[in-house]
Coordinates of all heavy atoms in Angstrom, one line a residue:
M37 N -60.4 -66.3 -13.9 CA -61.4 -65.2 -13.8 C -60.5 -63.9 -13.8 O -59.5 -63.8 -13.3 CB -62.2 -65.3 -12.5 CG -63.3 -66.2 -12.6 SD -64.6 -66.0 -11.3 CE -63.5 -66.2 -9.9
A38 N -61.2 -62.9 -14.4 CA -60.6 -61.5 -14.3 C -61.5 -60.7 -13.4 O -62.7 -60.7 -13.5 CB -60.6 -60.9 -15.7
A39 N -60.9 -59.9 -12.5 CA -61.7 -59.1 -11.5 C -61.1 -57.7 -11.4 O -60.0 -57.5 -11.7 CB -61.6 -59.8 -10.2
E40 N -62.0 -56.8 -11.2 CA -61.7 -55.4 -11.0 C -62.4 -55.0 -9.6 O -63.6 -55.0 -9.6 CB -62.1 -54.6 -12.1 CG -61.6 -53.2 -12.2 CD -62.0 -52.4 -13.4 OE1 -63.2 -52.4 -13.8 OE2 -61.1 -51.9 -14.1
E41 N -61.6 -54.5 -8.7 CA -62.2 -54.2 -7.4 C -63.2 -55.2 -6.9 O -64.3 -54.9 -6.5 CB -62.9 -52.8 -7.5 CG -61.9 -51.7 -7.7 CD -62.6 -50.3 -8.0 OE1 -63.8 -50.3 -7.9 OE2 -61.8 -49.4 -8.4
E42 N -62.6 -56.5 -6.9 CA -63.4 -57.6 -6.4 C -64.7 -57.9 -7.1 O -65.4 -58.8 -6.7 CB -63.7 -57.5 -4.8 CG -62.4 -57.4 -4.0 CD -62.7 -57.3 -2.5 OE1 -63.8 -57.6 -2.1 OE2 -61.7 -56.9 -1.8
K43 N -64.9 -57.3 -8.3 CA -66.0 -57.7 -9.1 C -65.5 -58.5 -10.3 O -64.6 -58.0 -11.0 CB -66.7 -56.4 -9.6 CG -68.0 -56.7 -10.3 CD -68.7 -55.3 -10.6 CE -69.9 -55.6 -11.5 NZ -69.6 -55.3 -12.9
V44 N -66.2 -59.6 -10.5 CA -65.8 -60.3 -11.8 C -66.2 -59.6 -13.0 O -67.3 -59.2 -13.2 CB -66.4 -61.8 -11.7 CG1 -66.1 -62.6 -13.0 CG2 -65.9 -62.5 -10.5
I45 N -65.2 -59.4 -13.9 CA -65.4 -58.8 -15.2 C -65.2 -59.6 -16.4 O -65.5 -59.2 -17.5 CB -64.7 -57.4 -15.3 CG1 -63.1 -57.7 -15.2 CG2 -65.1 -56.4 -14.3 CD1 -62.3 -56.5 -15.5
G46 N -64.7 -60.8 -16.2 CA -64.5 -61.8 -17.2 C -64.1 -63.1 -16.8 O -63.7 -63.3 -15.7
Y47 N -64.2 -64.1 -17.7 CA -63.7 -65.4 -17.4 C -63.3 -66.2 -18.6 O -63.8 -65.9 -19.7 CB -64.8 -66.2 -16.6 CG -66.0 -66.6 -17.4 CD1 -66.1 -67.7 -18.2 CD2 -67.1 -65.8 -17.4 CE1 -67.2 -68.0 -19.0 CE2 -68.3 -66.0 -18.1 CZ -68.3 -67.2 -18.9 OH -69.3 -67.5 -19.7
L48 N -62.5 -67.2 -18.4 CA -62.1 -68.1 -19.5 C -62.2 -69.6 -18.8 O -61.6 -69.8 -17.7 CB -60.7 -67.9 -19.9 CG -60.1 -68.8 -21.1 CD1 -59.1 -67.9 -21.9 CD2 -59.5 -70.0 -20.6
L49 N -63.0 -70.4 -19.4 CA -63.2 -71.7 -19.0 C -62.4 -72.7 -19.9 O -62.4 -72.5 -21.1 CB -64.7 -72.1 -19.0 CG -65.2 -73.4 -18.5 CD1 -65.0 -73.5 -17.0 CD2 -66.7 -73.5 -18.8
Y50 N -61.7 -73.7 -19.3 CA -60.9 -74.5 -20.1 C -60.8 -75.9 -19.5 O -61.1 -76.1 -18.4 CB -59.4 -73.9 -20.3 CG -58.7 -74.0 -19.0 CD1 -57.8 -75.2 -18.7 CD2 -58.6 -73.0 -18.0 CE1 -57.2 -75.3 -17.5 CE2 -57.9 -73.1 -16.9 CZ -57.2 -74.3 -16.6 OH -56.5 -74.3 -15.4
H51 N -60.3 -76.8 -20.4 CA -60.0 -78.2 -19.9 C -58.8 -78.6 -20.8 O -58.6 -78.1 -21.9 CB -61.1 -79.2 -19.9 CG -61.7 -79.5 -21.2 ND1 -61.1 -80.3 -22.2 CD2 -62.8 -79.0 -21.9 CE1 -61.8 -80.3 -23.3 NE2 -62.9 -79.5 -23.1
F52 N -58.1 -79.6 -20.3 CA -56.9 -80.1 -21.1 C -57.5 -81.3 -22.0 O -58.5 -81.9 -21.7 CB -55.8 -80.7 -20.1 CG -55.1 -79.6 -19.4 CD1 -55.3 -79.4 -18.1 CD2 -54.2 -78.8 -20.1 CE1 -54.6 -78.4 -17.4 CE2 -53.5 -77.8 -19.4 CZ -53.8 -77.7 -18.1
G53 N -56.8 -81.5 -23.0 CA -57.1 -82.4 -24.1 C -55.9 -83.1 -24.7 O -54.8 -82.8 -24.2
Y54 N -56.1 -83.8 -25.7 CA -55.0 -84.5 -26.4 C -55.3 -84.6 -27.9 O -56.4 -84.9 -28.2 CB -54.9 -85.9 -25.8 CG -53.6 -86.7 -26.3 CD1 -52.4 -86.3 -26.0 CD2 -53.8 -87.7 -27.2 CE1 -51.2 -87.0 -26.4 CE2 -52.7 -88.4 -27.7 CZ -51.4 -88.0 -27.3 OH -50.4 -88.7 -27.8
D55 N -54.3 -84.3 -28.7 CA -54.4 -84.4 -30.2 C -53.8 -85.8 -30.6 O -52.5 -85.9 -30.5 CB -53.7 -83.2 -30.8 CG -53.8 -83.3 -32.4 OD1 -53.8 -84.4 -32.9 OD2 -54.1 -82.2 -33.0
S56 N -54.7 -86.7 -30.8 CA -54.2 -88.1 -31.1 C -53.5 -88.2 -32.5 O -52.6 -89.0 -32.6 CB -55.3 -89.1 -31.0 OG -56.4 -88.8 -31.7
D57 N -53.9 -87.3 -33.4 CA -53.1 -87.3 -34.7 C -51.8 -86.8 -34.5 O -50.8 -87.4 -35.1 CB -53.9 -86.4 -35.7 CG -55.2 -87.1 -36.1 OD1 -55.2 -88.3 -36.2 OD2 -56.1 -86.3 -36.5
G58 N -51.5 -85.7 -33.8 CA -50.2 -85.1 -33.6 C -49.5 -85.6 -32.4 O -48.4 -85.3 -32.2
A59 N -50.2 -86.5 -31.6 CA -49.5 -87.0 -30.4 C -49.1 -85.9 -29.5 O -47.9 -86.0 -29.0 CB -48.5 -88.1 -30.8
F60 N -49.8 -85.0 -29.1 CA -49.4 -84.0 -28.2 C -50.7 -83.5 -27.4 O -51.8 -83.6 -27.9 CB -48.7 -82.7 -28.9 CG -49.6 -82.0 -29.8 CD1 -50.4 -81.1 -29.5 CD2 -49.3 -82.4 -31.2 CE1 -51.2 -80.4 -30.5 CE2 -50.1 -81.7 -32.2 CZ -51.0 -80.6 -31.9
S61 N -50.4 -83.0 -26.2 CA -51.5 -82.6 -25.4 C -51.9 -81.1 -25.7 O -51.0 -80.4 -26.2 CB -51.2 -82.7 -23.8 OG -50.1 -81.9 -23.5
N62 N -53.1 -80.7 -25.4 CA -53.5 -79.3 -25.7 C -54.4 -78.8 -24.6 O -54.8 -79.6 -23.8 CB -54.1 -79.2 -27.1 CG -55.2 -80.2 -27.4 OD1 -55.8 -80.7 -26.4 ND2 -55.5 -80.6 -28.6
L63 N -54.8 -77.6 -24.8 CA -55.7 -77.0 -23.8 C -56.9 -76.5 -24.7 O -56.7 -75.7 -25.7 CB -55.0 -75.9 -23.1 CG -55.9 -75.2 -22.0 CD1 -55.0 -74.7 -20.9 CD2 -56.7 -73.9 -22.6
H64 N -58.1 -76.9 -24.3 CA -59.3 -76.5 -25.0 C -59.9 -75.3 -24.3 O -60.3 -75.4 -23.0 CB -60.4 -77.6 -25.0 CG -60.0 -78.8 -25.8 ND1 -60.7 -79.2 -26.9 CD2 -58.9 -79.6 -25.8 CE1 -60.1 -80.3 -27.4 NE2 -59.0 -80.5 -26.8
V65 N -60.1 -74.2 -24.9 CA -60.9 -73.1 -24.3 C -62.3 -73.4 -24.5 O -62.8 -73.5 -25.7 CB -60.5 -71.8 -24.9 CG1 -61.3 -70.6 -24.3 CG2 -59.0 -71.5 -24.6
V66 N -63.1 -73.5 -23.5 CA -64.5 -73.8 -23.6 C -65.3 -72.6 -23.8 O -66.3 -72.5 -24.5 CB -65.0 -74.7 -22.4 CG1 -66.5 -74.9 -22.5 CG2 -64.2 -75.9 -22.2
D67 N -65.0 -71.5 -23.1 CA -65.7 -70.3 -23.2 C -64.8 -69.1 -22.7 O -64.0 -69.3 -21.8 CB -67.0 -70.4 -22.3 CG -68.0 -69.2 -22.6 OD1 -67.9 -68.6 -23.7 OD2 -68.9 -69.0 -21.8
L68 N -65.0 -68.0 -23.3 CA -64.3 -66.8 -23.0 C -65.3 -65.6 -23.0 O -66.1 -65.5 -24.0 CB -63.2 -66.4 -24.0 CG -62.5 -65.1 -23.8 CD1 -61.8 -64.9 -22.5 CD2 -61.5 -64.8 -25.0
Y69 N -65.4 -64.9 -22.0 CA -66.4 -63.9 -21.9 C -65.8 -62.7 -21.1 O -65.2 -62.8 -20.0 CB -67.7 -64.3 -21.2 CG -68.8 -63.3 -21.2 CD1 -69.5 -63.1 -22.4 CD2 -69.0 -62.5 -20.2 CE1 -70.5 -62.1 -22.4 CE2 -69.9 -61.4 -20.1 CZ -70.7 -61.3 -21.2 OH -71.7 -60.3 -21.3
V70 N -66.0 -61.5 -21.6 CA -65.6 -60.2 -20.9 C -66.9 -59.4 -20.9 O -67.5 -59.2 -21.9 CB -64.5 -59.5 -21.6 CG1 -64.2 -58.2 -20.9 CG2 -63.2 -60.4 -21.6
D71 N -67.2 -58.9 -19.7 CA -68.3 -58.1 -19.5 C -68.4 -56.9 -20.5 O -67.2 -56.3 -20.7 CB -68.4 -57.4 -18.0 CG -69.6 -56.7 -17.7 OD1 -70.5 -57.3 -17.3 OD2 -69.6 -55.5 -18.0
S72 N -69.4 -56.6 -21.1 CA -69.5 -55.6 -22.2 C -68.9 -54.3 -21.7 O -68.3 -53.5 -22.5 CB -70.9 -55.4 -22.6 OG -71.8 -55.0 -21.6
K73 N -69.0 -53.9 -20.5 CA -68.4 -52.6 -20.0 C -66.9 -52.6 -19.9 O -66.3 -51.6 -19.7 CB -69.1 -52.2 -18.7 CG -70.5 -51.8 -18.9 CD -71.1 -51.3 -17.5 CE -72.4 -51.9 -17.1 NZ -72.4 -53.3 -16.7
A74 N -66.4 -53.8 -19.8 CA -64.9 -54.0 -19.5 C -64.2 -54.3 -20.8 O -62.9 -54.6 -20.7 CB -64.7 -55.0 -18.5
R75 N -64.8 -54.3 -21.9 CA -64.1 -54.7 -23.2 C -63.2 -53.6 -23.8 O -63.3 -52.5 -23.4 CB -65.2 -55.2 -24.3 CG -65.9 -56.4 -24.0 CD -66.9 -56.8 -24.9 NE -67.7 -57.9 -24.3 CZ -68.9 -58.4 -24.7 NH1 -69.4 -57.8 -25.8 NH2 -69.5 -59.3 -24.1
K76 N -62.3 -54.2 -24.7 CA -61.4 -53.2 -25.4 C -60.4 -52.6 -24.4 O -59.9 -51.5 -24.6 CB -62.1 -52.2 -26.2 CG -63.0 -52.7 -27.3 CD -62.3 -53.0 -28.5 CE -63.2 -53.2 -29.7 NZ -62.5 -53.3 -31.0
K77 N -60.1 -53.3 -23.3 CA -59.1 -52.8 -22.3 C -58.1 -53.9 -22.1 O -57.2 -53.7 -21.1 CB -59.8 -52.4 -21.0 CG -60.8 -51.4 -21.1 CD -61.5 -51.2 -19.7 CE -62.5 -50.1 -19.7 NZ -63.3 -50.1 -18.4
G78 N -58.0 -54.9 -22.9 CA -57.0 -55.9 -22.7 C -57.3 -57.1 -21.9 O -56.5 -57.9 -21.6
V79 N -58.6 -57.1 -21.4 CA -59.0 -58.2 -20.4 C -59.0 -59.6 -21.1 O -58.5 -60.5 -20.7 CB -60.3 -57.9 -19.8 CG1 -60.7 -59.1 -18.9 CG2 -60.2 -56.6 -19.0
G80 N -59.6 -59.5 -22.3 CA -59.7 -60.8 -23.1 C -58.3 -61.3 -23.5 O -58.0 -62.5 -23.3
R81 N -57.5 -60.4 -23.9 CA -56.1 -60.8 -24.2 C -55.4 -61.3 -22.9 O -54.6 -62.3 -23.0 CB -55.3 -59.6 -24.7 CG -53.8 -59.8 -25.0 CD -53.1 -58.7 -25.5 NE -53.3 -58.5 -26.9 CZ -52.5 -58.9 -27.9 NH1 -51.4 -59.6 -27.5 NH2 -52.7 -58.7 -29.1
A82 N -55.6 -60.7 -21.8 CA -54.9 -61.1 -20.6 C -55.4 -62.6 -20.2 O -54.6 -63.4 -19.7 CB -55.3 -60.2 -19.4
L83 N -56.7 -62.8 -20.4 CA -57.3 -64.2 -20.1 C -56.6 -65.2 -21.0 O -56.3 -66.3 -20.6 CB -58.8 -64.2 -20.1 CG -59.5 -63.4 -18.9 CD1 -60.9 -63.2 -19.3 CD2 -59.4 -64.2 -17.7
M84 N -56.5 -64.9 -22.3 CA -55.9 -65.8 -23.2 C -54.4 -66.0 -22.9 O -53.9 -67.1 -23.1 CB -56.1 -65.3 -24.7 CG -57.6 -65.4 -25.2 SD -58.2 -67.1 -25.4 CE -57.2 -67.6 -26.8
T85 N -53.8 -65.0 -22.6 CA -52.4 -65.1 -22.2 C -52.1 -66.0 -21.0 O -51.3 -66.8 -20.9 CB -51.8 -63.7 -21.9 OG1 -52.0 -62.8 -23.0 CG2 -50.3 -63.7 -21.5
A86 N -53.1 -65.8 -19.9 CA -53.1 -66.7 -18.8 C -53.3 -68.1 -19.2 O -52.6 -69.1 -18.8 CB -54.1 -66.3 -17.8
A87 N -54.2 -68.4 -20.1 CA -54.5 -69.8 -20.6 C -53.2 -70.3 -21.3 O -52.9 -71.5 -21.1 CB -55.7 -69.8 -21.5
A88 N -52.6 -69.5 -22.0 CA -51.4 -70.0 -22.8 C -50.3 -70.4 -21.7 O -49.6 -71.3 -21.9 CB -50.9 -68.9 -23.8
G89 N -50.2 -69.6 -20.6 CA -49.3 -69.9 -19.6 C -49.5 -71.2 -18.9 O -48.6 -72.0 -18.7
I90 N -50.9 -71.4 -18.7 CA -51.3 -72.7 -18.0 C -50.9 -73.9 -18.9 O -50.5 -74.8 -18.5 CB -52.8 -72.6 -17.7 CG1 -53.0 -71.6 -16.6 CG2 -53.3 -74.0 -17.3 CD1 -54.4 -71.2 -16.3
A91 N -51.2 -73.6 -20.2 CA -50.9 -74.7 -21.2 C -49.4 -75.1 -21.2 O -49.0 -76.2 -21.1 CB -51.4 -74.3 -22.6
R92 N -48.6 -74.0 -21.3 CA -47.2 -74.2 -21.4 C -46.6 -74.9 -20.1 O -45.9 -75.9 -20.2 CB -46.4 -72.9 -21.5 CG -46.4 -72.3 -22.9 CD -45.3 -71.2 -23.0 NE -45.5 -70.2 -22.1 CZ -46.3 -69.1 -22.2 NH1 -47.0 -69.0 -23.3 NH2 -46.4 -68.2 -21.3
E93 N -47.1 -74.5 -19.0 CA -46.6 -75.1 -17.7 C -47.0 -76.5 -17.6 O -46.3 -77.4 -17.0 CB -47.4 -74.4 -16.5 CG -46.5 -73.3 -15.9 CD -47.2 -72.6 -14.8 OE1 -47.9 -73.3 -14.0 OE2 -47.2 -71.4 -14.7
A94 N -48.2 -76.9 -18.3 CA -48.6 -78.4 -18.3 C -48.0 -79.1 -19.3 O -48.3 -80.3 -19.6 CB -50.1 -78.4 -18.4
G95 N -47.2 -78.5 -20.2 CA -46.5 -79.2 -21.3 C -47.4 -79.4 -22.5 O -47.1 -80.1 -23.5
S96 N -48.4 -78.6 -22.6 CA -49.3 -78.6 -23.8 C -48.7 -77.6 -24.9 O -48.2 -76.6 -24.6 CB -50.7 -78.1 -23.4 OG -51.4 -78.9 -22.5
Q97 N -48.9 -78.2 -26.2 CA -48.3 -77.4 -27.3 C -49.2 -76.4 -27.9 O -48.7 -75.5 -28.5 CB -47.9 -78.4 -28.3 CG -46.7 -79.2 -28.0 CD -46.3 -80.1 -29.3 OE1 -46.5 -79.6 -30.3 NE2 -45.6 -81.2 -29.0
E98 N -50.5 -76.6 -27.6 CA -51.4 -75.7 -28.4 C -52.7 -75.4 -27.6 O -53.1 -76.1 -26.8 CB -51.9 -76.6 -29.6 CG -52.1 -75.9 -30.8 CD -52.2 -76.9 -32.0 OE1 -53.1 -77.7 -32.0 OE2 -51.4 -76.8 -32.9
I99 N -53.3 -74.3 -27.9 CA -54.6 -73.9 -27.3 C -55.6 -74.0 -28.5 O -55.3 -73.5 -29.6 CB -54.6 -72.5 -26.8 CG1 -53.4 -72.3 -25.9 CG2 -55.9 -72.2 -26.1 CD1 -53.4 -70.8 -25.5
I100 N -56.7 -74.7 -28.3 CA -57.7 -74.7 -29.4 C -59.0 -74.3 -28.8 O -59.4 -74.5 -27.6 CB -57.7 -76.1 -30.1 CG1 -58.2 -77.2 -29.2 CG2 -56.4 -76.4 -30.7 CD1 -58.6 -78.5 -29.9
W101 N -60.0 -73.8 -29.6 CA -61.3 -73.5 -29.3 C -62.2 -73.4 -30.5 O -61.7 -73.4 -31.6 CB -61.3 -72.2 -28.5 CG -60.8 -71.0 -29.3 CD1 -61.6 -70.1 -30.0 CD2 -59.5 -70.6 -29.4 NE1 -60.8 -69.2 -30.6 CE2 -59.5 -69.4 -30.3 CE3 -58.2 -71.0 -28.9 CZ2 -58.3 -68.7 -30.6 CZ3 -57.1 -70.4 -29.3 CH2 -57.1 -69.3 -30.1
S102 N -63.5 -73.3 -30.3 CA -64.4 -73.1 -31.4 C -65.0 -71.7 -31.4 O -65.1 -71.1 -30.3 CB -65.5 -74.1 -31.4 OG -66.2 -74.0 -30.2
V103 N -65.4 -71.2 -32.6 CA -66.0 -69.9 -32.7 C -67.2 -70.0 -33.6 O -67.1 -70.6 -34.7 CB -65.0 -68.8 -33.2 CG1 -65.7 -67.4 -33.2 CG2 -63.7 -68.8 -32.6
Y104 N -68.3 -69.4 -33.3 CA -69.4 -69.4 -34.2 C -69.0 -68.6 -35.4 O -68.5 -67.5 -35.2 CB -70.7 -68.8 -33.5 CG -71.5 -69.8 -32.7 CD1 -71.5 -69.8 -31.3 CD2 -72.2 -70.8 -33.4 CE1 -72.2 -70.7 -30.6 CE2 -72.9 -71.7 -32.6 CZ -72.9 -71.6 -31.2 OH -73.6 -72.6 -30.5
R105 N -69.4 -69.1 -36.6 CA -69.0 -68.4 -37.8 C -69.6 -66.9 -37.8 O -68.9 -66.0 -38.3 CB -69.6 -69.1 -39.1 CG -68.7 -70.0 -39.7 CD -69.3 -70.6 -40.9 NE -68.8 -72.0 -41.0 CZ -67.6 -72.3 -41.4 NH1 -66.7 -71.4 -41.7 NH2 -67.2 -73.5 -41.5
A106 N -70.7 -66.7 -37.2 CA -71.3 -65.5 -37.2 C -70.7 -64.5 -36.3 O -70.9 -63.2 -36.3 CB -72.8 -65.5 -36.9
N107 N -69.8 -65.0 -35.4 CA -69.2 -64.1 -34.3 C -67.9 -63.4 -34.8 O -66.8 -63.8 -34.5 CB -68.9 -64.9 -33.1 CG -68.6 -64.0 -31.9 OD1 -68.4 -62.8 -32.0 ND2 -68.6 -64.7 -30.7
N108 N -68.1 -62.5 -35.7 CA -67.1 -61.7 -36.4 C -66.2 -61.0 -35.3 O -65.0 -60.9 -35.5 CB -67.6 -60.8 -37.5 CG -68.2 -61.5 -38.6 OD1 -67.7 -62.6 -39.0 ND2 -69.3 -61.0 -39.1
L109 N -66.8 -60.5 -34.4 CA -66.1 -59.7 -33.3 C -65.0 -60.6 -32.7 O -63.8 -60.2 -32.5 CB -66.9 -59.1 -32.3 CG -68.0 -58.0 -32.8 CD1 -68.7 -57.4 -31.7 CD2 -67.2 -56.9 -33.5
A110 N -65.5 -61.8 -32.2 CA -64.6 -62.7 -31.6 C -63.5 -63.2 -32.5 O -62.3 -63.2 -32.2 CB -65.4 -63.9 -30.9
T111 N -63.9 -63.5 -33.8 CA -62.9 -64.0 -34.7 C -61.8 -62.9 -35.0 O -60.7 -63.3 -35.0 CB -63.6 -64.3 -36.1 OG1 -64.6 -65.2 -35.9 CG2 -62.7 -64.8 -37.1
E112 N -62.2 -61.7 -35.1 CA -61.2 -60.6 -35.3 C -60.4 -60.5 -34.1 O -59.1 -60.3 -34.2 CB -61.9 -59.2 -35.5 CG -62.6 -59.1 -36.9 CD -63.4 -57.9 -37.1 OE1 -63.2 -56.9 -36.4 OE2 -64.3 -57.9 -38.0
F113 N -61.0 -60.5 -32.9 CA -60.1 -60.5 -31.7 C -59.1 -61.7 -31.7 O -57.9 -61.4 -31.4 CB -61.1 -60.7 -30.4 CG -60.4 -61.1 -29.1 CD1 -59.7 -60.1 -28.4 CD2 -60.6 -62.4 -28.7 CE1 -59.0 -60.6 -27.3 CE2 -59.9 -62.7 -27.5 CZ -59.2 -61.8 -26.8
Y114 N -59.6 -62.9 -32.0 CA -58.6 -64.0 -32.0 C -57.5 -63.9 -33.0 O -56.3 -64.2 -32.8 CB -59.3 -65.3 -32.1 CG -60.2 -65.7 -31.0 CD1 -61.6 -66.1 -31.2 CD2 -59.8 -65.8 -29.7 CE1 -62.4 -66.4 -30.1 CE2 -60.5 -66.1 -28.6 CZ -61.9 -66.5 -28.9 OH -62.7 -66.8 -27.8
E115 N -57.9 -63.4 -34.2 CA -56.9 -63.2 -35.3 C -55.9 -62.1 -34.8 O -54.7 -62.2 -35.2 CB -57.6 -62.9 -36.6 CG -58.3 -64.2 -37.1 CD -59.0 -64.0 -38.4 OE1 -59.3 -62.9 -38.8 OE2 -59.3 -65.1 -39.0
R116 N -56.4 -61.2 -34.2 CA -55.4 -60.1 -33.7 C -54.4 -60.6 -32.7 O -53.3 -60.2 -32.6 CB -56.2 -58.9 -32.9 CG -56.9 -58.0 -33.8 CD -56.0 -57.0 -34.5 NE -55.5 -56.0 -33.5 CZ -56.1 -54.9 -33.3 NH1 -57.2 -54.6 -33.9 NH2 -55.6 -54.1 -32.4
L117 N -54.8 -61.8 -32.0 CA -53.9 -62.4 -31.1 C -52.9 -63.2 -31.9 O -51.9 -63.8 -31.3 CB -54.6 -63.4 -30.1 CG -55.6 -62.6 -29.1 CD1 -56.2 -63.7 -28.2 CD2 -54.9 -61.6 -28.3
G118 N -53.1 -63.5 -33.2 CA -52.3 -64.4 -34.0 C -52.8 -65.8 -34.2 O -52.2 -66.6 -34.8
A119 N -54.1 -66.0 -33.8 CA -54.7 -67.4 -34.0 C -55.0 -67.7 -35.4 O -55.3 -66.7 -36.1 CB -56.0 -67.5 -33.1
Q120 N -54.9 -69.0 -35.8 CA -55.3 -69.4 -37.1 C -56.5 -70.2 -37.1 O -56.7 -70.9 -36.2 CB -54.1 -70.1 -37.7 CG -52.9 -69.3 -37.9 CD -51.6 -70.2 -38.1 OE1 -51.6 -71.3 -37.8 NE2 -50.6 -69.5 -38.6
R121 N -57.3 -70.2 -38.2 CA -58.4 -71.0 -38.3 C -58.0 -72.4 -38.7 O -57.1 -72.7 -39.5 CB -59.3 -70.5 -39.5 CG -60.0 -69.3 -39.1 CD -60.9 -68.9 -40.3 NE -61.3 -67.5 -40.1 CZ -62.5 -67.0 -40.4 NH1 -63.4 -67.9 -40.9 NH2 -62.8 -65.8 -40.2
I122 N -58.7 -73.4 -38.1 CA -58.6 -74.8 -38.5 C -59.8 -75.1 -39.4 O -60.9 -74.9 -39.1 CB -58.7 -75.8 -37.2 CG1 -57.7 -75.5 -36.2 CG2 -58.6 -77.3 -37.7 CD1 -57.9 -76.1 -34.9
T123 N -59.5 -75.5 -40.6 CA -60.6 -75.7 -41.6 C -60.9 -77.2 -41.8 O -62.0 -77.5 -42.3 CB -60.2 -75.1 -42.9 OG1 -59.0 -75.6 -43.4 CG2 -60.2 -73.6 -42.8
E124 N -60.1 -78.1 -41.3 CA -60.3 -79.5 -41.7 C -61.1 -80.3 -40.6 O -61.2 -81.5 -40.7 CB -59.0 -80.2 -42.0 CG -58.0 -80.3 -40.8 CD -57.0 -79.1 -40.8 OE1 -57.4 -78.0 -41.2 OE2 -55.9 -79.3 -40.3
V125 N -61.6 -79.5 -39.5 CA -62.4 -80.1 -38.5 C -63.7 -79.5 -38.4 O -63.9 -78.3 -38.7 CB -61.6 -80.0 -37.2 CG1 -62.4 -80.6 -36.0 CG2 -60.2 -80.5 -37.2
F126 N -64.7 -80.3 -38.1 CA -66.1 -79.8 -37.8 C -66.7 -80.4 -36.6 O -66.2 -81.5 -36.2 CB -67.0 -79.9 -39.1 CG -67.2 -81.3 -39.6 CD1 -68.2 -82.1 -39.1 CD2 -66.3 -81.8 -40.5 CE1 -68.3 -83.4 -39.5 CE2 -66.5 -83.1 -41.0 CZ -67.5 -83.9 -40.5
F127 N -67.7 -79.7 -36.0 CA -68.4 -80.3 -34.9 C -69.5 -81.2 -35.3 O -70.1 -81.1 -36.4 CB -69.0 -79.2 -34.1 CG -68.1 -78.5 -33.1 CD1 -67.4 -77.4 -33.4 CD2 -67.9 -79.2 -31.9 CE1 -66.5 -76.8 -32.5 CE2 -66.9 -78.6 -31.0 CZ -66.3 -77.4 -31.3
M128 N -69.8 -82.1 -34.5 CA -71.0 -83.1 -34.7 C -71.8 -83.0 -33.4 O -71.2 -82.8 -32.3 CB -70.6 -84.4 -35.1 CG -69.9 -84.4 -36.5 SD -69.5 -86.2 -37.0 CE -71.2 -86.7 -37.6
K129 N -73.1 -83.3 -33.4 CA -73.8 -83.4 -32.2 C -74.9 -84.5 -32.4 O -75.3 -84.9 -33.5 CB -74.5 -82.1 -31.8 CG -75.6 -81.6 -32.8 CD -76.1 -80.3 -32.3 CE -77.3 -79.9 -33.2 NZ -77.9 -78.6 -32.8
L130 N -75.4 -84.9 -31.2 CA -76.4 -86.0 -31.1 C -77.3 -85.8 -29.9 O -76.7 -85.5 -28.8 CB -75.7 -87.3 -31.1 CG -76.5 -88.7 -31.3 CD1 -77.1 -88.8 -32.7 CD2 -75.5 -89.8 -31.0
P131 N -78.6 -85.8 -30.0 CA -79.4 -85.7 -28.7 C -79.0 -86.8 -27.8 O -78.7 -87.9 -28.2 CB -80.8 -85.8 -29.2 CG -80.8 -85.5 -30.7 CD -79.5 -86.0 -31.2
A132 N -78.9 -86.5 -26.5 CA -78.5 -87.5 -25.5 C -79.3 -88.7 -25.4 O -79.0 -89.8 -25.1 CB -78.4 -86.8 -24.1
D133 N -80.6 -88.5 -25.9 CA -81.5 -89.7 -25.8 C -81.7 -90.4 -27.2 O -82.6 -91.1 -27.3 CB -82.9 -89.3 -25.3 CG -83.6 -88.3 -26.2 OD1 -82.9 -87.9 -27.2 OD2 -84.7 -87.8 -25.9
A134 N -80.8 -90.1 -28.1 CA -80.9 -90.7 -29.4 C -80.4 -92.2 -29.5 O -80.8 -92.9 -30.4 CB -80.0 -89.9 -30.4
L135 N -79.6 -92.5 -28.5 CA -79.0 -93.9 -28.6 C -79.5 -94.7 -27.4 O -79.6 -94.1 -26.3 CB -77.5 -93.9 -28.6 CG -76.9 -93.2 -29.9 CD1 -75.3 -93.1 -29.7 CD2 -77.2 -93.9 -31.1
Ligands
COA191 C1 -64.1 -61.4 -27.7 C2 -63.9 -60.8 -26.3 C3 -63.5 -61.8 -25.2 C4 -62.7 -59.8 -26.4 O1 -62.4 -59.3 -25.1 P1 -61.8 -57.8 -24.8 O2 -61.4 -57.8 -23.4 O3 -62.6 -56.8 -25.4 O4 -60.4 -58.0 -25.7 P2 -59.1 -57.1 -25.5 O5 -59.4 -55.8 -25.0 O6 -58.2 -57.9 -24.8 O7 -58.5 -57.0 -26.9 C5 -57.4 -57.6 -27.4 C6 -57.0 -57.0 -28.8 O8 -58.1 -57.4 -29.7 C7 -58.6 -56.1 -30.2 N1 -60.1 -56.3 -30.2 C8 -60.8 -56.5 -29.1 N2 -62.1 -56.6 -29.5 C9 -62.1 -56.4 -30.8 C10 -63.1 -56.5 -31.8 N3 -64.4 -56.6 -31.5 N4 -62.8 -56.3 -33.1 C11 -61.5 -56.1 -33.5 N5 -60.5 -56.1 -32.6 C12 -60.8 -56.3 -31.3 C13 -58.1 -55.0 -29.2 O9 -58.0 -53.8 -29.9 C14 -56.8 -55.6 -28.8 O10 -55.8 -55.4 -29.8 P3 -54.3 -55.2 -29.2 O11 -54.1 -56.1 -28.1 O12 -53.5 -55.5 -30.4 O13 -54.3 -53.8 -28.7 C15 -65.1 -60.0 -25.9 O14 -65.5 -59.0 -26.9 C16 -66.3 -60.8 -25.5 O15 -66.5 -61.3 -24.3 N6 -67.3 -61.0 -26.4 C17 -68.5 -61.7 -26.2 C18 -68.3 -63.1 -25.9 C19 -67.6 -63.8 -27.0 O16 -67.9 -63.7 -28.2 N7 -66.6 -64.7 -26.6 C20 -65.8 -65.5 -27.5 C21 -66.6 -66.8 -27.8 S1 -65.7 -67.8 -28.9

């Protein structure tokens, strides 16, 4: 979490994972959010930097996450950090009561 004067202004939610094709562990960013009033001040970058540090400490090689195609603001933000798009993977879903 990111806080300013004891008020939460942003968070990054993650869990660890594993890339079975590459045989290495990774860190999945589940959600990243910075309060609209606190944006463009480096908070998002700081949260991603903290996640990268946690990944390195745990021996993970990579951070991965998903972005809605329509979310151009987030995509630009991530590309500014140096992130690259993965094009060979897509999401699938199934209603929990389907099986
Ligand atoms: C995307 C988001 C997390 C960015 O957080 P932020 O605190 O504003 O980002 P920062 O201030 O750390 O910006 C980091 C860099 O990206 C740039 N940047 C930030 N927002 C940008 C934008 N919308 N377009 C282009 N560049 C942007 C900054 O100028 C900065 O560049 P620099 O480090 O080279 O100076 C924030 O806009 C947000 O919470 N959006 C809504 C939720 C969302 O879409 N989350 C992502 C879900 S996948």
